[in-house]
Amino acid sequence: AQKITQTQPGMFVQEKEAVTLDCTYDTSDPSYGLFWYKQPSSGEMIFLIYQGSYDQQNATEGRYSLNFQKARKSANLVISASQLGDSAMYFCAMRPYSGGGADGLTFGKGTHLIIQP
Amino acid sequence: ETGVTQTPRHLVMGMTNKKSLKCEQHLGHNAMYWYKQSAKKPLELMFVYNFKEQTENNSVPSRFSPECPNSSHLFLHLHTLQPEDSALYLCASSQRTGMGGAFFGQGTRLTVV
């Protein structure tokens, strides 16, 4: 079984500052993927970034980067130069790689990020 | 259309009603999922379909009945629901193989009265 822990229920950040959202995970699977999603008030889950457990380099997608520390089982999301539109719920998730199986994602409880002008 | 589309966006139903949620994906994926998001709880995986075959059912009550006629369409049939079933129901799709992310629809906000 997998478990995702997000310890920050809510965060307030000043516009244009960088923000780090914490995520730790627990799994016995040797191969897995880690994901971050953004959920604005409209409800849609928006895929942001992905990191494979065997990837040597940290993933980056525009202003998003994933600080992957495998030994510590952490996969923090870093948003650079935050914008007002970044205000939303952010979810960390993982999926085991069972050799082709369509296993579903396990999600954390989320962090509510509010960007202040 | 592109992405994952869910209809309806909002649904209010009585406990004796029968309704269906629809999901359609235009991404060429071959796995589809139903998730439930209740207030103050993490997203819960309900059902997984892999090439139209149900591969996972996470102890979901029988008042929720999924149907996957093909790789692009997924339904969730609802009957005799309870008020505690009120939640946001999200559909997602992904490739069966590889480690790509799942893509979600906008969800159906369900209220059971």
Side-chain angles (χ1 to χ4, degrees):
Chain A
Q2 300 83 42
K3 184 179 179 182
I4 297 285
T5 302
Q6 294 180 254
T7 58
Q8 305 153 309
M11 287 186 70
F12 288 88
V13 173
Q14 211 67 27
E15 189 180 9
K16 299 181 184 177
E17 289 183 351
V19 56
T20 298
L21 304 181
D22 295 340
C23 172
T24 57
Y25 61 92
D26 193 19
T27 182
S28 57
D29 292 286
S31 182
Y32 48 88
L34 295 156
F35 307 83
W36 277 92
Y37 287 86
K38 172 184 179 182
Q39 187 179 39
S41 56
S42 59
E44 183 180 6
M45 295 288 284
I46 302 168
F47 169 66
L48 295 179
I49 195 167
Y50 156 76
Q51 178 85 42
S53 59
Y54 288 107
D55 291 343
Q56 297 296 316
Q57 292 189 326
N58 287 342
T60 60
E61 288 286 348
R63 295 187 298 113
Y64 304 108
S65 61
L66 199 153
N67 184 0
F68 180 46
Q69 298 187 44
K70 192 171 183 178
R72 298 179 60 184
K73 293 190 175 180
S74 74
N76 297 340
L77 177 71
V78 179
I79 306 174
S80 63
S82 58
Q83 302 170 356
L84 296 178
D86 294 332
S87 296
M89 284 292 294
Y90 287 82
F91 293 93
C92 181
M94 74 175 300
R95 170 185 170 190
Y97 182 45
S98 57
D103 299 300
L105 292 162
T106 298
F107 284 84
K109 291 185 177 181
T111 296
H112 189 190
L113 176 65
I114 298 174
I115 308 297
Q116 297 175 310
Chain B
E1 285 191 56
T2 59
V4 182
T5 304
Q6 288 186 245
T7 54
R9 292 292 309 279
H10 301 273
L11 178 63
V12 179
M13 60 185 288
M15 289 189 284
T16 59
N17 293 157
K18 290 184 180 180
K19 297 286 184 183
S20 295
L21 310 185
K22 179 183 176 181
C23 177
E24 185 174 0
Q25 60 97 359
H26 305 272
L27 299 168
H29 291 161
N30 40 43
M32 296 188 77
Y33 313 79
W34 280 116
Y35 287 86
K36 175 184 179 182
Q37 187 178 28
S38 305
K40 300 180 181 179
K41 293 177 70 175
L43 273 81
E44 302 169 75
L45 179 65
M46 299 176 72
F47 300 104
V48 179
Y49 276 84
N50 214 350
F51 287 109
K52 303 187 300 177
E53 299 295 321
Q54 188 180 130
T55 58
E56 196 162 342
N57 174 343
N58 276 3
S59 303
V60 180
S62 59
R63 57 186 184 268
F64 295 91
S65 175
E67 178 190 1
C68 188
N70 54 59
S71 295
S72 299
H73 293 85
L74 185 64
F75 296 89
L76 188 62
H77 303 300
L78 316 171
H79 64 95
T80 58
L81 294 191
Q82 304 299 311
E84 59 265 29
D85 296 322
S86 299
L88 180 67
Y89 289 84
L90 289 157
C91 172
S93 71
S94 73
Q95 289 291 10
R96 180 176 181 269
T97 57
M99 291 301 292
F103 292 85
F104 285 78
Q106 291 180 301
T108 295
R109 178 74 62 185
L110 173 67
T111 303
V112 181
V113 297

